[in-house]
Amino acid sequence: MPMQGGRPSAMWPLWLLVSLLALSQALPFEQRGFWDFTLDDGPFLMNDEEASGADTSGVLDPDSVTPTYSAMCPFGCHCHLRVVQCSDLGLKSVPKEISPDTTLLDLQNNDISELRKDDFKGLQHLYALVLVNNKISKIHEKAFSPLRKLQKLYISKNHLVEIPPNLPSSLVELRIHDNRIRKVPKGVFSGLRNMNCIEMGGNPLENSGFEPGAFDGLKLNYLRISEAKLTGIPKDLPETLNELHLDHNKIQAIELEDLLRYSKLYRLGLGHNQIRMIENGSLSFLPTLRELHLDNNKLARVPSGLPDLKLLQVVYLHSNNITKVGVNDFCPVGFGVKRAYYNGISLFNNPVPYWEVQPATFRCVTDRLAIQFGNYKK
C-alpha cells in the first residue's frame, strides 16, 4: 500500500474504486449464438459497435459505468449475466424486478396482451427485446420511451393492428411479421435514422395500405413484405435497399418503372406470386443484382435482360410455364462481358424439352451441376 508520511495515501481509495469499475466494464457482455428469432435467410447485420456508432477505443467513460444487480431476477425467469429469459411462463404482463443493467430481455411465448407506460422503466441499457408469440394488441405511446439504447425489437406473432408509435431512435432491426397490420402511415418511422432491417411479412397489407412517404427518411438495407396481399411492387420504398423480399403475394406483373429506384439491390425475392409478364428493360435498373427469385409464378419465357446483369449468379425460375430456353437467354454474346459466372440456375418443373436446349446456352455457368432441369408434371 502506498505510504505518505507513514500513513496510507488519501488517493488509494479513489484509485481502488476506479480500478474496480474498470474491471467491471473491461469485458462487456456480448451475446453470441443466442436464440435465432429471425428467419433463416435473414440479413447479415453489422456488429453491435458498428450498429450503434459507439466508440470502441477502449477508454472507460465513467458516466457509462453501471452497477450489477445480479440478485434481481423475476420469479420463474432465468437470469445470467445481463440476459433475462422469461419465455414460456404464461405471463399476463411484463414482470417487475428486472435488473436495470439487463441488455437482452426474452418474453416470447407468453400471454401478454398490453405494454403499459412503465413496463420497461429503468431499462435504459436494454439492447434487444423479444416479445414474439404473445397476444399484444395495445401498446402505450410511451412504453418504449425508457429504451434509449434498444437496437433489436422482435414483436412478431401478436395481435397488433398498427405499427407501434414512438419507436426508439436507436432501433436498428424491427421484426413485426405475422400481426394484423393493414396500414403503414406516413411518419410512423420518423427519426429512425439507424434502422437497416424491417421484417413485416405475414400482415394483411395491400398496396393501398402504404401511405405516400411511409418510408421517408429510412436508409434500409433489408425489407421483407412477404405473405401479404400485394398485387404489385409498392411505390417509394427506400432506394438504399440491398435486399427486397416480396414472395408469397399476388403480384401479377413487373412494369418498367417498378424497379427504377432500386439500383443497389443485390437480392430480389419475387417467388410464389402470379407474375405472367416482366416488361422488357425492367431488370436493367438493377446493375448490382446477384440473386433473383422468380420461382412459382406463371412466366411463359425466361425474362429478357438477364445477360446484361454482369454480377448475377443465381436465378430461380422453377415451377413456371416456360416452354423454351434460347441460347442467349442467360449469357451475353462474347467473352469478358460477364464479371461473375452463374453458380445456380433452376428451371425444373417447367414444360421445357430440355433435350432441345443447346449446350452453349449455359456457357457462362461455373459447373453443369449448377443447372437444374426436369421433373415437370402437368
Side-chain angles (χ1 to χ4, degrees):
M1 180 181 297
M3 303 290 290
Q4 188 176 44
R7 301 176 61 186
S9 169
M11 292 297 292
W12 169 247
L14 179 60
W15 178 86
L16 179 60
L17 176 61
V18 172
S19 299
L20 290 173
L21 290 175
L23 284 173
S24 67
Q25 293 297 110
L27 293 172
F29 173 72
E30 181 179 356
Q31 186 66 44
R32 296 184 184 277
F34 203 66
W35 308 290
D36 182 9
F37 301 106
T38 66
L39 298 180
D40 291 338
D41 58 348
F44 173 80
L45 297 179
M46 60 189 73
N47 62 38
D48 300 354
E49 290 80 11
E50 292 171 332
S52 63
D55 180 10
T56 58
S57 61
V59 178
L60 178 65
D61 179 6
D63 294 333
S64 68
V65 174
T66 56
T68 300
Y69 301 84
S70 57
M72 297 181 64
C73 189
F75 179 77
C77 301
H78 297 281
C79 303
H80 180 64
L81 298 178
R82 299 178 188 175
V83 175
V84 177
Q85 183 184 0
C86 301
S87 60
D88 302 276
L89 294 176
L91 298 175
K92 303 292 186 182
S93 61
V94 177
K96 304 297 183 183
E97 298 182 358
I98 299 174
S99 174
D101 65 348
T102 298
T103 57
L104 193 154
L105 176 57
D106 175 19
L107 293 167
Q108 68 176 319
N109 302 332
N110 281 293
D111 296 322
I112 299 170
S113 60
E114 179 181 358
L115 299 182
R116 297 165 296 189
K117 179 181 178 181
D118 295 326
D119 277 349
F120 305 112
K121 185 177 181 180
L123 300 182
Q124 66 268 23
H125 297 284
L126 199 65
Y127 167 85
L129 175 59
V130 183
L131 293 159
V132 176
N133 196 26
N134 276 276
K135 299 177 181 179
I136 300 170
S137 60
K138 184 177 180 181
I139 299 178
H140 192 278
E141 61 178 9
K142 294 185 178 180
F144 298 126
S145 295
L147 307 180
R148 297 192 296 270
K149 295 184 179 180
L150 190 71
Q151 293 191 23
K152 299 178 185 291
L153 176 58
Y154 301 154
I155 196 166
S156 304
K157 298 184 179 179
N158 278 283
H159 299 166
L160 296 175
V161 296
E162 63 179 4
I163 294 173
N166 304 317
L167 293 170
S169 60
S170 56
L171 207 60
V172 172
E173 182 180 349
L174 175 64
R175 303 274 174 170
I176 197 167
H177 56 87
D178 292 299
N179 276 279
R180 302 173 182 178
I181 298 170
R182 295 180 179 272
K183 184 178 179 181
V184 182
K186 181 178 181 179
V188 71
F189 298 120
S190 178
L192 301 180
R193 295 182 298 274
N194 298 311
M195 183 83 78
N196 68 18
C197 167
I198 296 180
E199 157 63 271
M200 56 193 310
N203 285 288
L205 281 163
E206 300 180 359
N207 286 73
S208 59
F210 297 92
E211 288 189 359
F215 294 93
D216 281 358
L218 287 180
K219 296 182 179 180
L220 297 180
N221 294 328
Y222 179 99
L223 177 62
R224 183 187 290 271
I225 316 175
S226 60
E227 300 177 81
K229 296 183 177 181
L230 302 178
T231 55
I233 295 179
K235 307 297 183 183
D236 301 326
L237 300 178
E239 59 185 12
T240 56
L241 285 171
N242 297 137
E243 293 195 38
L244 176 59
H245 298 269
L246 302 173
D247 45 290
H248 291 274
N249 276 285
K250 299 179 180 179
I251 299 173
Q252 300 178 14
I254 306 298
E255 300 179 354
L256 186 62
E257 69 275 8
D258 285 347
L259 301 171
L260 178 63
R261 61 187 279 122
Y262 309 123
S263 62
K264 295 181 174 64
L265 279 181
Y266 63 74
R267 182 179 293 171
L268 176 60
L270 292 166
H272 293 271
N273 276 280
Q274 300 172 15
I275 300 172
R276 296 178 180 271
M277 185 272 295
I278 298 179
E279 190 171 351
N280 289 347
S282 299
L283 300 178
S284 64
F285 300 113
L286 309 177
T288 63
L289 194 67
R290 291 167 171 79
E291 192 168 319
L292 177 61
H293 295 233
L294 285 166
D295 56 285
N296 290 278
N297 278 285
K298 299 182 179 181
L299 294 171
R301 63 185 180 90
V302 176
S304 63
L306 296 183
D308 299 322
L309 299 177
K310 298 179 180 180
L311 299 176
L312 189 62
Q313 299 175 56
V314 176
V315 182
Y316 288 179
L317 288 167
H318 57 270
S319 302
N320 276 278
N321 298 324
I322 299 171
T323 58
K324 182 180 180 180
V325 178
V327 69
N328 294 319
D329 278 352
F330 293 98
C331 302
V333 177
F335 294 96
V337 178
K338 192 165 178 60
R339 292 169 55 188
Y341 276 29
Y342 290 101
N343 54 44
I345 295 177
S346 69
L347 284 162
F348 66 87
N349 202 23
N350 278 289
V352 178
Y354 58 88
W355 55 88
E356 295 181 3
V357 178
Q358 299 183 39
T361 302
F362 304 112
R363 59 189 176 273
C364 59
V365 179
T366 55
D367 192 317
R368 294 293 177 182
L369 294 177
I371 306 165
Q372 298 181 9
F373 260 133
N375 300 323
Y376 176 68
K377 296 180 180 180
K378 291 185 179 181

